[in-house]
Structures are given as structure tokens and as C-alpha cells.
PDB file of all heavy atoms in Angstrom:
ATOM      1  N   GLY M   1     -94.085 -39.286  29.043  1.00  0.00           N
ATOM      2  CA  GLY M   1     -93.266 -39.619  30.195  1.00  0.00           C
ATOM      3  C   GLY M   1     -91.866 -40.085  29.864  1.00  0.00           C
ATOM      4  O   GLY M   1     -90.968 -39.988  30.695  1.00  0.00           O
ATOM      5  N   SER M   2     -91.673 -40.610  28.658  1.00  0.00           N
ATOM      6  CA  SER M   2     -90.348 -41.110  28.287  1.00  0.00           C
ATOM      7  C   SER M   2     -90.249 -41.239  26.772  1.00  0.00           C
ATOM      8  O   SER M   2     -91.266 -41.287  26.073  1.00  0.00           O
ATOM      9  CB  SER M   2     -90.098 -42.485  28.915  1.00  0.00           C
ATOM     10  OG  SER M   2     -90.951 -43.453  28.334  1.00  0.00           O
ATOM     11  N   ALA M   3     -89.018 -41.328  26.294  1.00  0.00           N
ATOM     12  CA  ALA M   3     -88.807 -41.586  24.874  1.00  0.00           C
ATOM     13  C   ALA M   3     -89.374 -42.958  24.523  1.00  0.00           C
ATOM     14  O   ALA M   3     -89.925 -43.153  23.436  1.00  0.00           O
ATOM     15  CB  ALA M   3     -87.319 -41.505  24.546  1.00  0.00           C
ATOM     16  N   GLY M   4     -89.260 -43.904  25.444  1.00  0.00           N
ATOM     17  CA  GLY M   4     -89.806 -45.231  25.220  1.00  0.00           C
ATOM     18  C   GLY M   4     -91.305 -45.214  24.994  1.00  0.00           C
ATOM     19  O   GLY M   4     -91.825 -45.958  24.157  1.00  0.00           O
ATOM     20  N   GLN M   5     -92.015 -44.366  25.729  1.00  0.00           N
ATOM     21  CA  GLN M   5     -93.463 -44.251  25.547  1.00  0.00           C
ATOM     22  C   GLN M   5     -93.779 -43.783  24.128  1.00  0.00           C
ATOM     23  O   GLN M   5     -94.680 -44.302  23.483  1.00  0.00           O
ATOM     24  CB  GLN M   5     -94.064 -43.276  26.564  1.00  0.00           C
ATOM     25  CG  GLN M   5     -95.563 -43.099  26.403  1.00  0.00           C
ATOM     26  CD  GLN M   5     -96.143 -41.996  27.275  1.00  0.00           C
ATOM     27  OE1 GLN M   5     -95.432 -41.263  27.943  1.00  0.00           O
ATOM     28  NE2 GLN M   5     -97.449 -41.886  27.259  1.00  0.00           N
ATOM     29  N   VAL M   6     -93.027 -42.815  23.642  1.00  0.00           N
ATOM     30  CA  VAL M   6     -93.243 -42.308  22.283  1.00  0.00           C
ATOM     31  C   VAL M   6     -92.964 -43.417  21.273  1.00  0.00           C
ATOM     32  O   VAL M   6     -93.775 -43.685  20.376  1.00  0.00           O
ATOM     33  CB  VAL M   6     -92.367 -41.073  22.003  1.00  0.00           C
ATOM     34  CG1 VAL M   6     -92.500 -40.635  20.547  1.00  0.00           C
ATOM     35  CG2 VAL M   6     -92.728 -39.932  22.952  1.00  0.00           C
ATOM     36  N   LEU M   7     -91.814 -44.075  21.402  1.00  0.00           N
ATOM     37  CA  LEU M   7     -91.441 -45.124  20.452  1.00  0.00           C
ATOM     38  C   LEU M   7     -92.418 -46.298  20.492  1.00  0.00           C
ATOM     39  O   LEU M   7     -92.796 -46.830  19.439  1.00  0.00           O
ATOM     40  CB  LEU M   7     -90.019 -45.598  20.720  1.00  0.00           C
ATOM     41  CG  LEU M   7     -88.932 -44.561  20.463  1.00  0.00           C
ATOM     42  CD1 LEU M   7     -87.579 -45.092  20.927  1.00  0.00           C
ATOM     43  CD2 LEU M   7     -88.896 -44.148  19.014  1.00  0.00           C
ATOM     44  N   ASP M   8     -92.843 -46.700  21.678  1.00  0.00           N
ATOM     45  CA  ASP M   8     -93.812 -47.796  21.792  1.00  0.00           C
ATOM     46  C   ASP M   8     -95.128 -47.434  21.112  1.00  0.00           C
ATOM     47  O   ASP M   8     -95.731 -48.261  20.414  1.00  0.00           O
ATOM     48  CB  ASP M   8     -94.068 -48.156  23.256  1.00  0.00           C
ATOM     49  CG  ASP M   8     -92.898 -48.850  23.919  1.00  0.00           C
ATOM     50  OD1 ASP M   8     -91.971 -49.298  23.203  1.00  0.00           O
ATOM     51  OD2 ASP M   8     -92.902 -48.935  25.167  1.00  0.00           O
ATOM     52  N   THR M   9     -95.578 -46.211  21.317  1.00  0.00           N
ATOM     53  CA  THR M   9     -96.829 -45.762  20.705  1.00  0.00           C
ATOM     54  C   THR M   9     -96.703 -45.725  19.182  1.00  0.00           C
ATOM     55  O   THR M   9     -97.601 -46.178  18.467  1.00  0.00           O
ATOM     56  CB  THR M   9     -97.237 -44.376  21.246  1.00  0.00           C
ATOM     57  OG1 THR M   9     -97.381 -44.462  22.664  1.00  0.00           O
ATOM     58  CG2 THR M   9     -98.541 -43.902  20.633  1.00  0.00           C
ATOM     59  N   VAL M  10     -95.597 -45.199  18.681  1.00  0.00           N
ATOM     60  CA  VAL M  10     -95.397 -45.151  17.229  1.00  0.00           C
ATOM     61  C   VAL M  10     -95.366 -46.568  16.659  1.00  0.00           C
ATOM     62  O   VAL M  10     -95.999 -46.852  15.632  1.00  0.00           O
ATOM     63  CB  VAL M  10     -94.112 -44.369  16.878  1.00  0.00           C
ATOM     64  CG1 VAL M  10     -93.737 -44.553  15.411  1.00  0.00           C
ATOM     65  CG2 VAL M  10     -94.293 -42.887  17.203  1.00  0.00           C
ATOM     66  N   ARG M  11     -94.652 -47.482  17.311  1.00  0.00           N
ATOM     67  CA  ARG M  11     -94.598 -48.873  16.825  1.00  0.00           C
ATOM     68  C   ARG M  11     -95.990 -49.518  16.806  1.00  0.00           C
ATOM     69  O   ARG M  11     -96.376 -50.185  15.849  1.00  0.00           O
ATOM     70  CB  ARG M  11     -93.658 -49.707  17.699  1.00  0.00           C
ATOM     71  CG  ARG M  11     -92.215 -49.597  17.292  1.00  0.00           C
ATOM     72  CD  ARG M  11     -91.362 -50.654  17.986  1.00  0.00           C
ATOM     73  NE  ARG M  11     -91.058 -50.340  19.364  1.00  0.00           N
ATOM     74  CZ  ARG M  11     -89.997 -49.643  19.752  1.00  0.00           C
ATOM     75  NH1 ARG M  11     -89.130 -49.185  18.880  1.00  0.00           N
ATOM     76  NH2 ARG M  11     -89.788 -49.411  21.028  1.00  0.00           N
ATOM     77  N   GLU M  12     -96.748 -49.297  17.881  1.00  0.00           N
ATOM     78  CA  GLU M  12     -98.091 -49.866  17.972  1.00  0.00           C
ATOM     79  C   GLU M  12     -98.980 -49.346  16.849  1.00  0.00           C
ATOM     80  O   GLU M  12     -99.686 -50.107  16.186  1.00  0.00           O
ATOM     81  CB  GLU M  12     -98.698 -49.524  19.338  1.00  0.00           C
ATOM     82  CG  GLU M  12    -100.142 -49.947  19.495  1.00  0.00           C
ATOM     83  CD  GLU M  12    -100.756 -49.406  20.775  1.00  0.00           C
ATOM     84  OE1 GLU M  12    -100.036 -49.205  21.765  1.00  0.00           O
ATOM     85  OE2 GLU M  12    -101.969 -49.177  20.777  1.00  0.00           O
ATOM     86  N   ARG M  13     -98.945 -48.044  16.636  1.00  0.00           N
ATOM     87  CA  ARG M  13     -99.781 -47.436  15.601  1.00  0.00           C
ATOM     88  C   ARG M  13     -99.307 -47.816  14.201  1.00  0.00           C
ATOM     89  O   ARG M  13    -100.104 -47.962  13.282  1.00  0.00           O
ATOM     90  CB  ARG M  13     -99.823 -45.916  15.768  1.00  0.00           C
ATOM     91  CG  ARG M  13    -100.561 -45.480  17.026  1.00  0.00           C
ATOM     92  CD  ARG M  13    -101.940 -46.078  17.046  1.00  0.00           C
ATOM     93  NE  ARG M  13    -102.627 -45.748  18.273  1.00  0.00           N
ATOM     94  CZ  ARG M  13    -103.901 -46.028  18.493  1.00  0.00           C
ATOM     95  NH1 ARG M  13    -104.609 -46.649  17.580  1.00  0.00           N
ATOM     96  NH2 ARG M  13    -104.459 -45.712  19.630  1.00  0.00           N
ATOM     97  N   ALA M  14     -98.009 -47.995  14.026  1.00  0.00           N
ATOM     98  CA  ALA M  14     -97.473 -48.418  12.731  1.00  0.00           C
ATOM     99  C   ALA M  14     -97.980 -49.818  12.388  1.00  0.00           C
ATOM    100  O   ALA M  14     -98.285 -50.100  11.214  1.00  0.00           O
ATOM    101  CB  ALA M  14     -95.948 -48.388  12.748  1.00  0.00           C
ATOM    102  N   ARG M  15     -98.076 -50.695  13.366  1.00  0.00           N
ATOM    103  CA  ARG M  15     -98.591 -52.043  13.123  1.00  0.00           C
ATOM    104  C   ARG M  15    -100.064 -52.009  12.719  1.00  0.00           C
ATOM    105  O   ARG M  15    -100.523 -52.852  11.951  1.00  0.00           O
ATOM    106  CB  ARG M  15     -98.414 -52.915  14.362  1.00  0.00           C
ATOM    107  CG  ARG M  15     -96.999 -53.433  14.539  1.00  0.00           C
ATOM    108  CD  ARG M  15     -96.912 -54.526  15.593  1.00  0.00           C
ATOM    109  NE  ARG M  15     -97.099 -54.037  16.942  1.00  0.00           N
ATOM    110  CZ  ARG M  15     -96.117 -53.573  17.725  1.00  0.00           C
ATOM    111  NH1 ARG M  15     -94.888 -53.527  17.276  1.00  0.00           N
ATOM    112  NH2 ARG M  15     -96.371 -53.161  18.945  1.00  0.00           N
ATOM    113  N   LYS M  16    -100.820 -51.040  13.244  1.00  0.00           N
ATOM    114  CA  LYS M  16    -102.251 -50.948  12.935  1.00  0.00           C
ATOM    115  C   LYS M  16    -102.522 -50.274  11.593  1.00  0.00           C
ATOM    116  O   LYS M  16    -103.531 -50.553  10.957  1.00  0.00           O
ATOM    117  CB  LYS M  16    -102.974 -50.169  14.042  1.00  0.00           C
ATOM    118  CG  LYS M  16    -103.073 -50.915  15.343  1.00  0.00           C
ATOM    119  CD  LYS M  16    -103.867 -50.120  16.349  1.00  0.00           C
ATOM    120  CE  LYS M  16    -103.991 -50.893  17.651  1.00  0.00           C
ATOM    121  NZ  LYS M  16    -104.848 -50.185  18.603  1.00  0.00           N
ATOM    122  N   ALA M  17    -101.654 -49.357  11.190  1.00  0.00           N
ATOM    123  CA  ALA M  17    -101.883 -48.593   9.962  1.00  0.00           C
ATOM    124  C   ALA M  17    -101.789 -49.492   8.733  1.00  0.00           C
ATOM    125  O   ALA M  17    -100.826 -50.242   8.585  1.00  0.00           O
ATOM    126  CB  ALA M  17    -100.884 -47.445   9.862  1.00  0.00           C
ATOM    127  N   ARG M  18    -102.757 -49.397   7.865  1.00  0.00           N
ATOM    128  CA  ARG M  18    -102.753 -50.145   6.606  1.00  0.00           C
ATOM    129  C   ARG M  18    -102.642 -49.199   5.414  1.00  0.00           C
ATOM    130  O   ARG M  18    -102.536 -49.641   4.287  1.00  0.00           O
ATOM    131  CB  ARG M  18    -104.025 -50.991   6.475  1.00  0.00           C
ATOM    132  CG  ARG M  18    -104.134 -52.060   7.538  1.00  0.00           C
ATOM    133  CD  ARG M  18    -103.029 -53.098   7.355  1.00  0.00           C
ATOM    134  NE  ARG M  18    -103.012 -54.062   8.428  1.00  0.00           N
ATOM    135  CZ  ARG M  18    -102.020 -54.158   9.308  1.00  0.00           C
ATOM    136  NH1 ARG M  18    -101.000 -53.341   9.267  1.00  0.00           N
ATOM    137  NH2 ARG M  18    -102.043 -55.060  10.243  1.00  0.00           N
ATOM    138  N   ASP M  19    -102.679 -47.906   5.676  1.00  0.00           N
ATOM    139  CA  ASP M  19    -102.546 -46.924   4.603  1.00  0.00           C
ATOM    140  C   ASP M  19    -101.474 -45.911   5.003  1.00  0.00           C
ATOM    141  O   ASP M  19    -100.331 -46.058   4.632  1.00  0.00           O
ATOM    142  CB  ASP M  19    -103.893 -46.242   4.343  1.00  0.00           C
ATOM    143  CG  ASP M  19    -103.905 -45.409   3.064  1.00  0.00           C
ATOM    144  OD1 ASP M  19    -102.904 -44.699   2.808  1.00  0.00           O
ATOM    145  OD2 ASP M  19    -104.904 -45.441   2.326  1.00  0.00           O
ATOM    146  N   THR M  20    -101.824 -44.934   5.824  1.00  0.00           N
ATOM    147  CA  THR M  20    -100.903 -43.860   6.173  1.00  0.00           C
ATOM    148  C   THR M  20    -100.642 -43.840   7.675  1.00  0.00           C
ATOM    149  O   THR M  20    -101.559 -44.042   8.468  1.00  0.00           O
ATOM    150  CB  THR M  20    -101.485 -42.492   5.752  1.00  0.00           C
ATOM    151  OG1 THR M  20    -101.650 -42.501   4.329  1.00  0.00           O
ATOM    152  CG2 THR M  20    -100.590 -41.339   6.147  1.00  0.00           C
ATOM    153  N   LEU M  21     -99.389 -43.600   8.039  1.00  0.00           N
ATOM    154  CA  LEU M  21     -99.021 -43.349   9.432  1.00  0.00           C
ATOM    155  C   LEU M  21     -98.487 -41.930   9.486  1.00  0.00           C
ATOM    156  O   LEU M  21     -97.466 -41.619   8.870  1.00  0.00           O
ATOM    157  CB  LEU M  21     -97.951 -44.330   9.921  1.00  0.00           C
ATOM    158  CG  LEU M  21     -97.375 -44.037  11.312  1.00  0.00           C
ATOM    159  CD1 LEU M  21     -98.451 -44.159  12.379  1.00  0.00           C
ATOM    160  CD2 LEU M  21     -96.205 -44.964  11.606  1.00  0.00           C
ATOM    161  N   LEU M  22     -99.188 -41.067  10.196  1.00  0.00           N
ATOM    162  CA  LEU M  22     -98.780 -39.679  10.353  1.00  0.00           C
ATOM    163  C   LEU M  22     -98.170 -39.513  11.740  1.00  0.00           C
ATOM    164  O   LEU M  22     -98.801 -39.866  12.738  1.00  0.00           O
ATOM    165  CB  LEU M  22     -99.987 -38.744  10.209  1.00  0.00           C
ATOM    166  CG  LEU M  22     -99.744 -37.275  10.528  1.00  0.00           C
ATOM    167  CD1 LEU M  22     -98.912 -36.634   9.429  1.00  0.00           C
ATOM    168  CD2 LEU M  22    -101.043 -36.536  10.721  1.00  0.00           C
ATOM    169  N   ILE M  23     -96.946 -39.007  11.785  1.00  0.00           N
ATOM    170  CA  ILE M  23     -96.283 -38.719  13.057  1.00  0.00           C
ATOM    171  C   ILE M  23     -95.978 -37.225  13.071  1.00  0.00           C
ATOM    172  O   ILE M  23     -95.336 -36.710  12.151  1.00  0.00           O
ATOM    173  CB  ILE M  23     -94.988 -39.531  13.217  1.00  0.00           C
ATOM    174  CG1 ILE M  23     -95.287 -41.022  13.137  1.00  0.00           C
ATOM    175  CG2 ILE M  23     -94.308 -39.189  14.548  1.00  0.00           C
ATOM    176  CD1 ILE M  23     -94.062 -41.885  13.022  1.00  0.00           C
ATOM    177  N   TYR M  24     -96.439 -36.554  14.121  1.00  0.00           N
ATOM    178  CA  TYR M  24     -96.257 -35.106  14.256  1.00  0.00           C
ATOM    179  C   TYR M  24     -95.563 -34.833  15.579  1.00  0.00           C
ATOM    180  O   TYR M  24     -95.953 -35.371  16.608  1.00  0.00           O
ATOM    181  CB  TYR M  24     -97.638 -34.435  14.224  1.00  0.00           C
ATOM    182  CG  TYR M  24     -97.638 -32.964  14.550  1.00  0.00           C
ATOM    183  CD1 TYR M  24     -97.369 -32.013  13.573  1.00  0.00           C
ATOM    184  CD2 TYR M  24     -97.937 -32.529  15.837  1.00  0.00           C
ATOM    185  CE1 TYR M  24     -97.388 -30.660  13.875  1.00  0.00           C
ATOM    186  CE2 TYR M  24     -97.959 -31.178  16.148  1.00  0.00           C
ATOM    187  CZ  TYR M  24     -97.684 -30.248  15.163  1.00  0.00           C
ATOM    188  OH  TYR M  24     -97.708 -28.917  15.466  1.00  0.00           O
ATOM    189  N   TYR M  25     -94.513 -34.017  15.540  1.00  0.00           N
ATOM    190  CA  TYR M  25     -93.813 -33.602  16.755  1.00  0.00           C
ATOM    191  C   TYR M  25     -93.795 -32.087  16.810  1.00  0.00           C
ATOM    192  O   TYR M  25     -93.464 -31.423  15.819  1.00  0.00           O
ATOM    193  CB  TYR M  25     -92.365 -34.119  16.774  1.00  0.00           C
ATOM    194  CG  TYR M  25     -91.563 -33.508  17.905  1.00  0.00           C
ATOM    195  CD1 TYR M  25     -91.673 -33.991  19.195  1.00  0.00           C
ATOM    196  CD2 TYR M  25     -90.734 -32.409  17.685  1.00  0.00           C
ATOM    197  CE1 TYR M  25     -90.980 -33.409  20.243  1.00  0.00           C
ATOM    198  CE2 TYR M  25     -90.033 -31.820  18.726  1.00  0.00           C
ATOM    199  CZ  TYR M  25     -90.162 -32.325  19.995  1.00  0.00           C
ATOM    200  OH  TYR M  25     -89.474 -31.746  21.029  1.00  0.00           O
ATOM    201  N   ALA M  26     -94.147 -31.550  17.958  1.00  0.00           N
ATOM    202  CA  ALA M  26     -94.048 -30.112  18.188  1.00  0.00           C
ATOM    203  C   ALA M  26     -93.290 -29.897  19.495  1.00  0.00           C
ATOM    204  O   ALA M  26     -93.576 -30.537  20.504  1.00  0.00           O
ATOM    205  CB  ALA M  26     -95.432 -29.472  18.277  1.00  0.00           C
ATOM    206  N   GLY M  27     -92.303 -29.027  19.455  1.00  0.00           N
ATOM    207  CA  GLY M  27     -91.498 -28.734  20.631  1.00  0.00           C
ATOM    208  C   GLY M  27     -90.202 -28.079  20.191  1.00  0.00           C
ATOM    209  O   GLY M  27     -90.025 -27.739  19.023  1.00  0.00           O
ATOM    210  N   HIS M  28     -89.302 -27.915  21.121  1.00  0.00           N
ATOM    211  CA  HIS M  28     -88.016 -27.317  20.816  1.00  0.00           C
ATOM    212  C   HIS M  28     -87.141 -28.251  19.999  1.00  0.00           C
ATOM    213  O   HIS M  28     -87.216 -29.468  20.127  1.00  0.00           O
ATOM    214  CB  HIS M  28     -87.259 -26.987  22.118  1.00  0.00           C
ATOM    215  CG  HIS M  28     -87.757 -25.779  22.818  1.00  0.00           C
ATOM    216  ND1 HIS M  28     -87.557 -24.512  22.347  1.00  0.00           N
ATOM    217  CD2 HIS M  28     -88.458 -25.649  23.973  1.00  0.00           C
ATOM    218  CE1 HIS M  28     -88.105 -23.639  23.182  1.00  0.00           C
ATOM    219  NE2 HIS M  28     -88.664 -24.305  24.179  1.00  0.00           N
ATOM    220  N   GLY M  29     -86.303 -27.661  19.191  1.00  0.00           N
ATOM    221  CA  GLY M  29     -85.265 -28.397  18.480  1.00  0.00           C
ATOM    222  C   GLY M  29     -83.938 -27.715  18.755  1.00  0.00           C
ATOM    223  O   GLY M  29     -83.883 -26.508  18.987  1.00  0.00           O
ATOM    224  N   LEU M  30     -82.873 -28.484  18.783  1.00  0.00           N
ATOM    225  CA  LEU M  30     -81.538 -27.938  19.023  1.00  0.00           C
ATOM    226  C   LEU M  30     -80.610 -28.365  17.890  1.00  0.00           C
ATOM    227  O   LEU M  30     -80.749 -29.454  17.339  1.00  0.00           O
ATOM    228  CB  LEU M  30     -80.984 -28.442  20.361  1.00  0.00           C
ATOM    229  CG  LEU M  30     -81.773 -28.061  21.602  1.00  0.00           C
ATOM    230  CD1 LEU M  30     -81.194 -28.753  22.835  1.00  0.00           C
ATOM    231  CD2 LEU M  30     -81.771 -26.555  21.801  1.00  0.00           C
ATOM    232  N   THR M  31     -79.654 -27.526  17.571  1.00  0.00           N
ATOM    233  CA  THR M  31     -78.678 -27.832  16.534  1.00  0.00           C
ATOM    234  C   THR M  31     -77.356 -28.214  17.177  1.00  0.00           C
ATOM    235  O   THR M  31     -76.859 -27.510  18.058  1.00  0.00           O
ATOM    236  CB  THR M  31     -78.461 -26.607  15.615  1.00  0.00           C
ATOM    237  OG1 THR M  31     -79.733 -26.200  15.115  1.00  0.00           O
ATOM    238  CG2 THR M  31     -77.559 -26.943  14.462  1.00  0.00           C
ATOM    239  N   ASP M  32     -76.786 -29.329  16.723  1.00  0.00           N
ATOM    240  CA  ASP M  32     -75.479 -29.756  17.204  1.00  0.00           C
ATOM    241  C   ASP M  32     -74.438 -28.773  16.677  1.00  0.00           C
ATOM    242  O   ASP M  32     -74.355 -28.537  15.468  1.00  0.00           O
ATOM    243  CB  ASP M  32     -75.179 -31.165  16.682  1.00  0.00           C
ATOM    244  CG  ASP M  32     -73.869 -31.701  17.223  1.00  0.00           C
ATOM    245  OD1 ASP M  32     -72.807 -31.106  16.921  1.00  0.00           O
ATOM    246  OD2 ASP M  32     -73.900 -32.729  17.920  1.00  0.00           O
ATOM    247  N   PRO M  33     -73.632 -28.169  17.559  1.00  0.00           N
ATOM    248  CA  PRO M  33     -72.675 -27.148  17.108  1.00  0.00           C
ATOM    249  C   PRO M  33     -71.557 -27.706  16.225  1.00  0.00           C
ATOM    250  O   PRO M  33     -70.914 -26.951  15.498  1.00  0.00           O
ATOM    251  CB  PRO M  33     -72.102 -26.595  18.416  1.00  0.00           C
ATOM    252  CG  PRO M  33     -72.339 -27.652  19.429  1.00  0.00           C
ATOM    253  CD  PRO M  33     -73.580 -28.378  18.997  1.00  0.00           C
ATOM    254  N   HIS M  34     -71.339 -29.009  16.235  1.00  0.00           N
ATOM    255  CA  HIS M  34     -70.266 -29.607  15.442  1.00  0.00           C
ATOM    256  C   HIS M  34     -70.742 -30.136  14.095  1.00  0.00           C
ATOM    257  O   HIS M  34     -69.990 -30.112  13.120  1.00  0.00           O
ATOM    258  CB  HIS M  34     -69.590 -30.738  16.227  1.00  0.00           C
ATOM    259  CG  HIS M  34     -69.069 -30.285  17.557  1.00  0.00           C
ATOM    260  ND1 HIS M  34     -67.995 -29.428  17.688  1.00  0.00           N
ATOM    261  CD2 HIS M  34     -69.501 -30.552  18.810  1.00  0.00           C
ATOM    262  CE1 HIS M  34     -67.777 -29.187  18.975  1.00  0.00           C
ATOM    263  NE2 HIS M  34     -68.681 -29.856  19.679  1.00  0.00           N
ATOM    264  N   THR M  35     -71.977 -30.605  14.040  1.00  0.00           N
ATOM    265  CA  THR M  35     -72.465 -31.232  12.810  1.00  0.00           C
ATOM    266  C   THR M  35     -73.610 -30.477  12.153  1.00  0.00           C
ATOM    267  O   THR M  35     -73.995 -30.795  11.036  1.00  0.00           O
ATOM    268  CB  THR M  35     -72.951 -32.664  13.094  1.00  0.00           C
ATOM    269  OG1 THR M  35     -74.097 -32.596  13.953  1.00  0.00           O
ATOM    270  CG2 THR M  35     -71.854 -33.509  13.711  1.00  0.00           C
ATOM    271  N   ASP M  36     -74.176 -29.508  12.851  1.00  0.00           N
ATOM    272  CA  ASP M  36     -75.356 -28.775  12.388  1.00  0.00           C
ATOM    273  C   ASP M  36     -76.593 -29.660  12.244  1.00  0.00           C
ATOM    274  O   ASP M  36     -77.575 -29.258  11.630  1.00  0.00           O
ATOM    275  CB  ASP M  36     -75.095 -28.038  11.070  1.00  0.00           C
ATOM    276  CG  ASP M  36     -74.198 -26.837  11.251  1.00  0.00           C
ATOM    277  OD1 ASP M  36     -74.194 -26.256  12.354  1.00  0.00           O
ATOM    278  OD2 ASP M  36     -73.500 -26.473  10.283  1.00  0.00           O
ATOM    279  N   GLU M  37     -76.547 -30.865  12.805  1.00  0.00           N
ATOM    280  CA  GLU M  37     -77.719 -31.731  12.767  1.00  0.00           C
ATOM    281  C   GLU M  37     -78.752 -31.228  13.767  1.00  0.00           C
ATOM    282  O   GLU M  37     -78.413 -30.809  14.866  1.00  0.00           O
ATOM    283  CB  GLU M  37     -77.345 -33.172  13.097  1.00  0.00           C
ATOM    284  CG  GLU M  37     -76.536 -33.842  12.019  1.00  0.00           C
ATOM    285  CD  GLU M  37     -76.216 -35.289  12.351  1.00  0.00           C
ATOM    286  OE1 GLU M  37     -76.610 -35.772  13.444  1.00  0.00           O
ATOM    287  OE2 GLU M  37     -75.576 -35.929  11.510  1.00  0.00           O
ATOM    288  N   LEU M  38     -79.995 -31.304  13.361  1.00  0.00           N
ATOM    289  CA  LEU M  38     -81.096 -30.875  14.209  1.00  0.00           C
ATOM    290  C   LEU M  38     -81.622 -32.069  14.993  1.00  0.00           C
ATOM    291  O   LEU M  38     -81.780 -33.164  14.463  1.00  0.00           O
ATOM    292  CB  LEU M  38     -82.228 -30.297  13.354  1.00  0.00           C
ATOM    293  CG  LEU M  38     -83.449 -29.770  14.090  1.00  0.00           C
ATOM    294  CD1 LEU M  38     -83.086 -28.569  14.961  1.00  0.00           C
ATOM    295  CD2 LEU M  38     -84.534 -29.393  13.099  1.00  0.00           C
ATOM    296  N   SER M  39     -81.859 -31.866  16.278  1.00  0.00           N
ATOM    297  CA  SER M  39     -82.476 -32.908  17.096  1.00  0.00           C
ATOM    298  C   SER M  39     -83.555 -32.270  17.953  1.00  0.00           C
ATOM    299  O   SER M  39     -83.553 -31.065  18.186  1.00  0.00           O
ATOM    300  CB  SER M  39     -81.439 -33.613  17.973  1.00  0.00           C
ATOM    301  OG  SER M  39     -80.869 -32.688  18.867  1.00  0.00           O
ATOM    302  N   ARG M  40     -84.475 -33.090  18.391  1.00  0.00           N
ATOM    303  CA  ARG M  40     -85.539 -32.540  19.232  1.00  0.00           C
ATOM    304  C   ARG M  40     -85.017 -32.402  20.649  1.00  0.00           C
ATOM    305  O   ARG M  40     -84.172 -33.179  21.093  1.00  0.00           O
ATOM    306  CB  ARG M  40     -86.786 -33.427  19.187  1.00  0.00           C
ATOM    307  CG  ARG M  40     -86.539 -34.780  19.774  1.00  0.00           C
ATOM    308  CD  ARG M  40     -87.815 -35.530  19.948  1.00  0.00           C
ATOM    309  NE  ARG M  40     -87.553 -36.850  20.444  1.00  0.00           N
ATOM    310  CZ  ARG M  40     -87.147 -37.114  21.683  1.00  0.00           C
ATOM    311  NH1 ARG M  40     -86.984 -36.136  22.535  1.00  0.00           N
ATOM    312  NH2 ARG M  40     -86.900 -38.337  22.068  1.00  0.00           N
TER     313      ARG M  40
END
């Protein structure tokens, strides 16, 4: 529903993880025409 929901979930899971935190994103990515940086 929001970027905040994603960030809150990642923070919550990061606090629980004692070994590995795996974050996976699937979706479109766009390239900034001025910097060539990739963003989701």
C-alpha cells in the first residue's frame, strides 16, 4: 500500500533476524536519464 509499509516491514524483520535478512524486490525499474542510476 505504501513505501512506508515496505520500510516498516523490512525494519521489523531486520530486528528479528539473528542470522540472515533476505530482501527480494520484483517489479519495474527505471533508469534516470541524467545519472543512469536505476530505481524501482
Side-chain angles (χ1 to χ4, degrees):
S2 68
Q5 179 188 6
V6 175
L7 294 173
D8 289 346
T9 301
V10 168
R11 275 192 283 271
E12 174 189 331
R13 292 305 176 173
R15 282 192 289 272
K16 289 183 179 185
R18 296 294 174 247
D19 191 318
T20 298
L21 173 64
L22 172 72
I23 301 169
Y24 172 84
Y25 170 80
H28 284 289
L30 299 174
T31 305
D32 184 297
H34 304 291
T35 66
D36 288 332
E37 290 182 359
L38 181 64
S39 62
R40 65 170 177 71

